[in-house]
Amino acid sequence: MTEQNPRHARAPATVRPEAYSPATSESRAASLSYALAGCLYMLRTQKNARIMLAATALVVPLAVWLGIDADQWAILIMAIGGVWLAEFFNAAIEAAVNIAAPEIHPMAKVAKDVAAAAALIAVVVAILVGVLILGPPLALGMTASAPSN
């Protein structure tokens, strides 16, 4: 381990990003266009993003149809958003690692695997949230429409 110098703790507060990045934008519209380009990149190149889009397109109308309450909506939206965020961070980390370590390196694999694991955990949590929120009203609907003998 390396020893930390306490003077360096405040260093990030004094750094000017525009001095180090040729792509720093002063325009909010340009920043928004970069973000949209990132979304389009994900949907165009990442199979998991397209699967997540399909899952989101199924879950949201189902939740509307089931009439879940505002608290349930908040939880469901956070779970869906968490999956999207984890997948986007996973892709960003993979791209950065590919640039930083174009040759195979054990720590590059660790970075990619851990990022992928974070995305997987977010998916599992979202599935559990979906089952807990959407499962009971679906089960009630199925038992209510089941024929009685």
Side-chain angles (χ1 to χ4, degrees):
M1 293 205 82
T2 60
E3 189 176 314
Q4 297 289 324
N5 183 338
R7 288 183 300 153
H8 295 298
R10 291 185 301 275
T14 62
V15 173
R16 292 183 8 251
E18 64 275 5
Y20 300 95
S21 174
T24 299
S25 172
E26 294 182 23
S27 160
R28 292 302 104 218
S31 294
L32 178 61
S33 73
Y34 299 147
L36 292 175
C39 289
L40 292 174
Y41 167 83
M42 289 295 292
L43 292 171
R44 190 180 82 245
T45 66
Q46 303 296 308
K47 180 180 179 183
N48 286 345
R50 293 189 298 275
I51 292 169
M52 290 173 359
L53 182 62
T56 301
L58 290 172
V59 168
V60 170
L62 178 61
V64 169
W65 180 70
L66 292 171
I68 65 172
D69 65 32
D71 290 343
Q72 292 172 319
W73 268 113
I75 295 166
L76 195 61
I77 289 168
M78 287 191 302
I80 292 169
V83 172
W84 282 99
L85 287 171
E87 193 60 42
F88 275 55
F89 282 130
N90 179 39
I93 289 168
E94 285 187 4
V97 167
N98 287 344
I99 292 168
E103 64 285 339
I104 296 173
H105 189 282
M107 292 310 294
K109 180 173 177 10
V110 168
K112 289 180 168 190
D113 290 353
V114 170
L120 177 62
I121 290 167
V123 167
V124 170
V125 169
I127 290 170
L128 292 172
V129 166
V131 167
L132 290 170
I133 290 175
L134 304 176
L138 276 173
L140 284 174
M142 285 188 228
T143 57
S145 63
S148 58
N149 291 335

